[in-house]
Amino acid sequence: MNQRLAKFTIGQVVRHRVYPFRGVIFDVDPTFSNTEEYWLSIPEHIRPAKDQPFYHLLAENDDSSYVAYVSEQNLLPDDTGQPVGHPQATLLFESFREGQYKLRPRISH
């Protein structure tokens, strides 16, 4: 299986191609790395190929904040220039500037 480079970056704000939500990327898997049950729960008309990057998002819609796992083919750059209102964003990121979040430095022993 050929892996390709991720199109989006950690800290980038993106939106879903089909559903009305947006979020900030906090992790990337080079290929699908979730359960088969999860993959089958994705509606067939937008079910992605597994051999592409998948992104972990701190996501939000008009009603709630949550964590989403989305394929690259179903994401678009968010062009609003606005930060994401997810309550955990400040735990992972230290700042938001020019449409991009900057990760907090890791704390280790």
Side-chain angles (χ1 to χ4, degrees), residues 69-85:
Y69 189 64
V70 186
S71 65
E72 187 168 273
Q73 76 184 52
N74 284 320
L75 289 177
L76 297 168
D78 180 83
D79 58 5
T80 65
Q82 298 298 309
V84 173

Side-chain angles (χ1 to χ4, degrees), residues 18-65:
V18 177
Y19 296 114
F21 72 85
R22 60 194 289 270
V24 57
I25 297 167
F26 69 91
D27 197 10
V28 183
D29 293 334
T31 59
F32 182 80
S33 186
N34 207 322
T35 65
E36 189 69 12
E37 180 182 22
Y38 181 87
W39 188 75
L40 292 173
S41 75
I42 301 169
E44 195 170 345
H45 70 283
I46 62 164
R47 190 174 299 150
K50 293 181 180 180
D51 64 343
Q52 62 181 304
F54 276 73
Y55 299 84
H56 300 262
L57 308 177
L58 295 178
E60 65 180 4
N61 60 27
D62 288 341
D63 301 321
S64 65
S65 297

Side-chain angles (χ1 to χ4, degrees), residues 1-5 30-31 50-53:
M1 185 178 340
N2 282 337
Q3 292 181 5
R4 63 180 190 230
L5 293 176
T31 59
K50 293 181 180 180
D51 64 343
Q52 62 181 304

